[in-house]
Every structure is written in C-alpha cells, then in structure tokens.
Amino acid sequence: MPMLSPKAKRNILHILPFGVLWLVFSLVYTLLERGLLGNLTYYPATGNPYFFTRNIVTTPLAALVTGLIMGVLEVFCFNKWFVKKSFSKKILFKSLIYLLIILLFLVITFIGTATDTVAAVSRKAFWNTAWVFFTDYAMLSTTVYIASIILVTQFYAEVSDSIGHAALLNFFLGKYHRPVQEERVFMFLDMRSSTTIAEKLGHVRYFEMLKEYFADLSQPVIDYQGEIYQYAGDEMIISWKLKAGLQNGDCIGCFFAMKRGLAQQASKYEARFGLLPGFKAGLHYGMVTTGEIGVLKKEIIFTGDVLNTAARIQGLCNHFGVDILISGHLAKALGPNLSFETKSLGQHNLKGRDEHMEILTVVFAI
C-alpha cells in the first residue's frame, strides 16, 4: 500500500477538524433537542414524528459529512480563491457559500424526518408543512445554531493559517505546556540583497513581493515535511524533527525544491517587480528545548545552541560565495545520499562557539 505524501497528510489533518467540530456541535444539538422535546414523539412545529434513537445517529452523521465537505472546500478551494482577501471579505464570501450548504443540509434533514419520503414529497400537504417549518421560530433558531458552527470553524481556519496547523494542534494537546527536549534540524533561509531590493522597490511594493516570495517558498516546505517556525523580516526559519529532516535528505531536498519553484515563477517576478529574488541558507541540527512561553501572547518556541549555530553558518554563505552551507554534524547524520553531493570547506570557528566546526556546501542535487 503506497504511503501518503506529506502534502496529502497535511490536507487530511486540515480537513478532519472541520468534521470533528460539526460532529461535536451536532451531538450537543441533538441532546438539547431531546431535552426540550422531552417525551414528545413529534415535532410541535410540523407534526412530523420525532425519534431520538434515529436522530442521535443520523444528525451527527449528516453533520460529520457536512463538516468534512466544508473542510475540503477550505483546503482545496477557499484557501486558493480568497488567499489575498481580507478577513472580513473572506467571512462575507464564504458565508454566502455556506448559506447554500446550510439550506441543503436543512432540506435533507427535513425530508429525512418524513415517514415515507418518496410518497410525502409528492403531496401538497408535505410542502405546506415544509413552509411552516422553514418559517417557524424553530427553523430560525436552528439556522442561528448552525451559523455559530460556521463561525467557530472559520475562526479555527483563520487561526490555523495564522499560527500554523501544527502549532495550533500542539496548543490544544498541551504537548509543550511543559518544556520538552528534542532533536531538530533547522534551516535559516535569508533573501539575498534584501536592503538593495527594498530601496529599489519602495517599502509597499517590497512588502508585496515578500508575500509572493514566502507564498512560493511554502509549498516545498509542505512537500518535504518541514514546519515554518518563524518569519523574521526577509528571513524564514524552517524546522524538522530529526527523523523527518534526515529522511531521504528532505532538509536538503527542500532547499533545492525552493530554488526550482522560485525559478519557475521568474516571469511573474520580472513582470511585477523587475527582478527575481534569490536566497541563501544555513543548516544544522541538534538538541533544543521546546515549550510554550508568554502571558499576553503565547508562542511555542525553540531554545538551544543549534539555532545560533545555524544562523552563523548561513551568515558565511556570502564569504564562500555559495547559496547553501551545512554543518559537518548534519552531513554525518545525513550520510551518503544519491540525491546530492557535498564539498567540505574546512574547519571554521563560528562566532559564539569555542570549538571549530566543519562547514560543507552542497555542490550537486537532483
């Protein structure tokens, strides 16, 4: 059985929470409905029969499917259609689309309450009852309840995009509520000649270019199992758990996939900004302490010498006239790899470190 790609895993992990949220809300609704109707065996507004044993299964199931559909729409459609829209416009446009989903959901639910669905829809009395139901206070309250689910799921989607799905999941699970030590690979990636580019473009157009630049560099991070830790000005810090970063040389493969991806967008950058930005990177691995920090604003941060070292290594790229440098420790951990070759640049004393460290560059990659 073929393994799921990192992109497919990421999409599934983004879609599932929508289904879970709808499932939980529907269970709450079904139990509240039971409490309000008590021992009644029919809906007072419509006279349709009410069966709790049926609803406790069908309503959550329908809600789960609806939530998963919404998750698919968010991941494969809305994230692309509305990526450049403001939050308020996202809410407006998505709400209009979700309104159609709500109406469809309610129609299906209403028809499903009929004892003999096929016979019922052909009778005028059925449609009269439907009109009463859809204009009744119960219908309006149900619509408001479902609207609240949409707001929660949209809030989840926006927060997930803002702080990262992995970070949000870790907050929920409390994985790093207490500090945890773990080995990680870090890549410090920095734009070349950023000051010169900013002066040429002006601050507003430079910022617009940064948005395009970071967006185009993000897909390889997904494809090669990385996590974007931070954006710092024109710098991107990418992290991998050690096993993921070493697997198939993914931390190196990610860099060259970024190079290829940006080169493919050369015409776009030349047309819009009159230049194609370049970048350089330094990579190292080691032990870090990971944990939540902050009171007014919480973040999950990494602390450890490995971050400073990776930054220092990246700072040597201009000195050696190369785009990528890695530490000897990382090169040894990666081992022989058919996808790339390395060239040693000798032992060097990095600022802030007592011992010398071997630095290598990658001279060939497929």
Side-chain angles (χ1 to χ4, degrees), residues 1-143:
M1 184 177 178
M3 294 287 290
L4 289 174
S5 68
K7 184 177 180 180
K9 291 179 182 177
R10 181 179 183 273
N11 288 338
I12 291 172
L13 289 175
H14 274 68
I15 292 170
L16 285 178
F18 287 90
V20 172
L21 284 170
W22 275 77
L23 177 63
V24 171
F25 270 85
S26 67
L27 285 169
V28 172
Y29 173 82
T30 305
L31 293 173
L32 286 174
E33 183 183 57
R34 171 64 172 174
L36 291 171
L37 293 179
N39 294 323
L40 291 178
T41 58
Y42 63 92
Y43 290 95
T46 62
N48 284 330
Y50 165 72
F51 301 103
F52 173 73
T53 52
R54 178 188 63 187
N55 288 7
I56 196 64
V57 175
T58 58
T59 300
L61 181 61
L64 174 63
V65 172
T66 302
L68 293 175
I69 291 173
M70 288 179 62
V72 170
L73 289 174
E74 287 284 346
V75 171
F76 293 102
C77 300
F78 293 154
N79 281 350
K80 297 177 182 178
W81 297 348
F82 304 131
V83 66
K84 296 182 180 180
K85 300 294 184 182
S86 66
F87 179 78
S88 58
K89 288 184 178 179
K90 285 182 182 180
I91 294 295
L92 175 62
F93 295 145
K94 288 196 289 186
S95 294
L96 291 174
I97 297 173
Y98 287 145
L99 179 60
L100 297 177
I101 298 175
I102 290 173
L103 293 175
L104 178 61
F105 175 76
L106 290 175
V107 168
I108 292 174
T109 302
F110 177 79
I111 293 175
T113 61
T115 305
D116 187 347
T117 302
V118 176
V121 296
S122 63
R123 298 171 184 161
K124 184 178 179 180
F126 173 85
W127 295 107
N128 289 335
T129 302
W131 173 256
V132 171
F133 175 78
F134 283 101
T135 56
D136 186 76
Y137 177 79
M139 162 60 184
L140 297 176
S141 62
T142 301
T143 303

Side-chain angles (χ1 to χ4, degrees), residues 144-156:
V144 170
Y145 188 81
I146 294 179
S148 68
I149 307 177
I150 290 178
L151 289 175
V152 170
T153 53
Q154 286 188 8
F155 180 77
Y156 160 80

Side-chain angles (χ1 to χ4, degrees), residues 235-253:
E235 187 175 68
M236 177 189 288
I237 304 173
I238 304 161
S239 175
W240 290 263
K241 289 185 177 180
L242 184 60
K243 182 179 178 180
L246 298 182
Q247 183 179 346
N248 303 317
D250 273 5
C251 60
I252 305 296

Side-chain angles (χ1 to χ4, degrees), residues 166-177 292:
L168 181 60
L169 184 61
N170 288 331
F171 272 125
F172 280 134
L173 297 178
K175 182 177 180 180
Y176 298 117
H177 184 66
E292 293 180 18

Side-chain angles (χ1 to χ4, degrees), residues 198-212:
E199 291 175 351
K200 177 182 178 180
L201 297 179
H203 293 296
V204 175
R205 292 190 65 224
Y206 174 67
F207 189 83
E208 291 174 352
M209 190 201 71
L210 272 183
K211 289 176 67 176
E212 293 286 342

